[in-house]
Amino acid sequence: MRLIKSCMAAAVAAALITPTAQAGGFEIPGAGAADLGRGGAWYAKSDTALALRYNPAALARMTSMTMVDVNASLLFYDSCFERSGTYDEHGYGGDVGGAPGSSGSVNTRFPNGPGVAPVGGIDSFNPYHYRGVENPRVCNQTGPGPVPQLAFAMRLPKHEKLAISVGILAPNARGAQRYGNSDGVVETGNPDHPLAPSPTRYIATQVGNLQVFPTIGVAYALHPRLNVGVAFGWGITVVDFASATQAFGGNENFNDDIRTHLKAVDGFVPRINLSVDAAPVDGLRVMAGFQWTQSVDTHGKLTLEPHYYMSDADREVFGARPTVLDNTRLRAGQASVLSFGVNYGLPRKGGVAGEIADGLGTQVFDVELSFNYDLHGRMDSYRVNPGAKDGLPPVVVYGAEIEPPASIEIPKNWKNQYVFRLGGDVNIVPGVFALRAGTWYESSGITPGYAGLDFYLPRRIGATAGATIRIQRFDLTLGYARVFYDDTDYRESGGLVRGNAGTGEATVGNNGLIQAKMNIGSIGLRYHFK
């Protein structure tokens, strides 16, 4: 018993020091190891402290008087972008644009390969002089993303109809992405010009969105077969996003690009989760819930670096210097979710197996069908309003001052999505060992033409499996999921996401092929107190 409690304490400590969950994309079903292993079909089952996240009403029927539930997942997200065309073409085939007398006569930070003769005194990769260099396929270069979940729940000893819970919850999503190195530079695979700007630069080169929700919940049993619950989360959101802006709209000469880097923190993003949980007949459970999250609305720092890909010497010639806008406002909508679940469990004969009267101890098996309707349609765009505490300073491009735009709108145009989840447990050794499996289907959230890398929402299908072993009052759970994404191909036509521009209209930046897949491994540690 002492060893079990020591392991539990270590698990709690590990969850608390795990980096904040990365949540740039929308969530993958199954935040905990047990619910991940059954395809996220866990809304009506919700028989642990992690009900705080999905179905707070279920806390009122928790079989243990007190429980702590610690989970940690690793998300291995592979995404790649293959942009059409070459560095001297833009959009769907236009010329690089610009004035060769200025941007065509400068060196860049990309030295030529061995044996490449200078052209016009230029001995680095400049798209005016070295034509036909294809945009390389570039993939996300960040490692696996950890996502922790920690929940503690108890039913009050003198008021057993009432349960309370606290937890630290994070979106089950992968937010950290980087396409190229930290400077947005990629290896081209071309020996003559081995380095170049990332082809993703007009949609995203770096994404580091982090989000976590310290949460408190309460549930009450109105009747032995009917429970209600509510949870309130205090969300903390960190935004770290980098891309390139075209100084002159329609001109993709990367010598003119302005690197834009936005950092912002919103320390209060409230979330409310309401649910009703019922057992109409023995063995059958149903639930309905609604989760609402306030939009992110905060101020941060926007750094603009003109002529970012020029050589340092030529940047000096043109007087290029960073412009810092330290009072820039960001507004970004958050999705609300409607959820429904139906669960059937076949009771085992002979009563409770072991010390704990939960599903593992009282059922032969259970199966659940859950349905979510994700209201993403309210998120038509992200809005950025550049600002500075001491006035709006200009950006210097080729020695001339350009005033930053007063408002930048980043189109998203997401659609509402529906998600079906099917899964269940089979108790191989009642009260000791269970196997589980599941699957889920999610409709596309992409309006045609608007697929992006920061939040990639095509149709997705998941296949999952997992297991739980119980040692006295201690549960160890493992879960695995493979997520399959549809490809999105705008190489020939169809892309509609334009980059940002200092003046005029920028070219289309998502004219390419986007491919992705994800593997998730999760471990859960749970202790049922007497």
Side-chain angles (χ1 to χ4, degrees), residues 94-443:
D95 188 73
V96 69
S102 54
S103 51
S105 60
V106 299
N107 273 298
T108 69
R109 61 169 64 187
F110 312 115
N112 290 329
V116 177
V119 175
I122 304 302
D123 59 1
S124 56
F125 176 40
N126 186 315
Y128 279 117
H129 300 298
Y130 301 100
R131 302 257 172 175
V133 178
E134 293 185 353
N135 288 308
R137 178 181 174 88
V138 59
C139 297
N140 175 30
Q141 296 185 11
T142 58
V147 179
Q149 314 286 343
L150 170 63
F152 169 85
M154 66 180 298
R155 289 174 26 228
L156 302 185
K158 295 183 179 180
H159 305 278
E160 293 189 10
K161 293 182 178 181
L162 182 66
I164 60 173
S165 179
V166 294
I168 300 174
L169 308 177
N172 193 35
R174 186 72 174 97
Q177 302 172 56
R178 192 181 71 245
Y179 297 91
N181 64 20
S182 58
D183 291 332
V185 176
V186 298
E187 296 182 2
T188 65
N190 184 322
D192 292 337
H193 308 289
L195 299 175
S198 174
T200 70
R201 64 192 182 278
Y202 297 128
I203 48 178
T205 57
Q206 176 181 316
V207 181
N209 298 332
L210 312 176
Q211 199 168 53
V212 66
F213 286 88
T215 303
I216 183 169
V218 61
Y220 188 75
L222 297 174
H223 182 274
R225 293 185 180 273
L226 180 64
N227 310 298
V228 294
V230 60
F232 174 78
W234 183 303
I236 302 167
T237 300
V238 180
V239 177
D240 186 350
F241 183 86
S243 63
T245 292
Q246 296 171 14
F248 311 105
N251 176 6
E252 282 202 13
N253 177 24
F254 56 70
N255 291 306
D256 299 344
D257 283 352
I258 302 170
R259 185 175 188 261
T260 59
H261 191 182
L262 175 64
K263 291 186 175 183
V265 177
D266 193 335
F268 182 53
V269 182
R271 167 177 286 179
I272 297 175
N273 192 351
L274 306 167
S275 71
V276 178
D277 177 87
V281 297
D282 290 346
L284 182 67
R285 282 214 170 268
V286 295
M287 69 79 61
F290 176 70
Q291 178 179 279
W292 170 87
T293 306
Q294 173 65 44
S295 298
V296 172
D297 190 344
T298 188
H299 288 77
K301 182 174 71 173
L302 178 64
T303 303
L304 308 175
E305 298 180 76
H307 303 304
Y308 185 73
Y309 297 113
M310 273 190 191
S311 67
D312 290 341
D314 283 306
R315 283 168 55 87
E316 284 290 329
V317 169
F318 292 113
R321 61 183 184 273
T323 297
V324 178
L325 307 176
D326 57 2
N327 194 34
T328 294
R329 184 182 183 187
L330 168 67
R331 287 170 290 172
Q334 303 286 293
S336 295
V337 182
L338 286 166
S339 55
F340 306 91
V342 179
N343 179 282
Y344 174 75
L346 178 65
R348 67 178 298 271
K349 297 178 180 179
V352 179
E355 300 181 53
I356 303 164
D358 62 355
L360 181 57
T362 64
Q363 295 177 337
V364 178
F365 70 88
D366 83 277
V367 62
E368 178 166 333
L369 176 65
S370 301
F371 172 77
N372 281 17
Y373 191 65
D374 298 342
L375 303 172
H376 294 151
R378 61 184 285 210
M379 297 182 288
D380 58 340
S381 65
Y382 284 1
R383 293 171 175 83
V384 179
N385 298 104
K389 296 174 182 177
D390 298 321
L392 201 62
V395 181
V396 178
V397 179
Y398 292 120
E401 294 185 347
I402 298 177
E403 184 176 339
S407 178
I408 301 171
E409 189 164 311
I410 304 170
K412 298 299 181 184
N413 294 327
W414 291 312
K415 299 190 299 184
N416 295 338
Q417 293 178 275
Y418 56 86
V419 187
F420 289 99
R421 314 172 187 214
L422 178 65
D425 289 12
V426 176
N427 299 321
I428 306 299
V429 181
V432 177
F433 180 66
L435 292 176
R436 60 183 55 91
T439 186
W440 51 270
Y441 173 90
E442 180 181 75
S443 66

Side-chain angles (χ1 to χ4, degrees), residues 51-95:
L52 176 67
R53 178 187 181 90
Y54 294 109
N55 179 8
L59 294 166
R61 58 174 167 83
M62 190 173 63
T63 54
S64 300
M65 289 298 293
T66 306
M67 185 188 303
V68 63
D69 199 351
V70 182
N71 294 263
S73 298
L74 275 180
L75 278 63
F76 297 81
Y77 180 54
D78 299 314
S79 59
C80 296
F81 181 66
E82 186 177 324
R83 194 180 188 204
S84 62
T86 60
Y87 279 95
D88 54 283
E89 295 179 345
H90 70 75
Y92 288 111
D95 188 73

Side-chain angles (χ1 to χ4, degrees), residues 467-527:
T468 293
I469 185 168
R470 176 168 291 166
I471 304 171
Q472 296 180 1
R473 306 188 72 84
F474 177 83
D475 296 347
L476 171 65
T477 300
L478 299 176
Y480 169 77
R482 173 63 185 264
V483 186
F484 302 88
Y485 291 69
D486 277 358
D487 296 347
T488 299
D489 193 350
Y490 298 147
R491 285 176 293 186
E492 299 298 326
S493 63
L496 297 175
V497 177
R498 296 182 179 273
N500 296 314
T503 61
E505 184 179 58
T507 57
V508 171
N510 69 336
N511 55 313
L513 171 67
I514 304 176
Q515 297 177 305
K517 64 182 179 180
M518 184 182 289
N519 290 280
I520 308 170
S522 184
I523 184 170
L525 301 170
R526 182 182 311 121
Y527 189 75

